[in-house]
Amino acid sequence: MTPELQKYYESRFDMMSNEGWKDLTIDIDIMIESINNLSVIPDEKTLMFKKGELSILIWLKTLKEVSERAFEELNEKNV
């Protein structure tokens, strides 16, 4: 792993270890719950918009786990 990539992951993990990140993940869960309701979607355009919102929120929600897996895989390749 390059020093730049190592620093990238260290910075990301530092950010995710803060209380603010934990608060953000709670907010994300609340947002997902409120958006993920088909009965209030009036048309296809709104459905596609909501689908995009959910996609971004789920990406954020899983960012820590995905980053950890990628970091581990990179370290395994370098061993």
Side-chain angles (χ1 to χ4, degrees):
M1 183 180 322
T2 66
E4 294 83 14
L5 191 54
Q6 177 77 28
K7 185 173 180 350
Y8 169 83
Y9 278 105
E10 287 173 359
S11 295
R12 179 170 279 194
F13 295 140
D14 183 50
M15 172 188 68
M16 292 173 178
S17 68
N18 290 315
E19 194 65 33
W21 182 261
K22 294 172 189 155
D23 292 340
L24 177 63
T25 60
I26 292 168
D27 292 343
I28 289 170
D29 287 337
I30 292 167
M31 292 173 72
I32 288 172
E33 188 176 325
S34 71
I35 291 172
N36 200 13
N37 182 358
L38 290 175
S39 65
V40 298
I41 298 176
D43 53 42
E44 186 177 345
K45 183 178 178 180
T46 306
L47 176 64
M48 292 297 116
F49 183 80
K50 295 291 183 188
K51 185 178 176 183
E53 285 182 312
L54 281 171
S55 177
I56 292 167
L57 289 169
I58 291 168
W59 174 77
L60 271 172
K61 180 180 173 133
T62 61
L63 184 60
K64 182 177 181 185
E65 292 79 17
V66 170
S67 296
E68 288 170 346
R69 275 197 310 263
F71 184 75
E72 288 171 8
E73 288 176 12
L74 286 168
N75 277 329
E76 287 174 3
K77 289 179 183 178
N78 289 328
V79 172

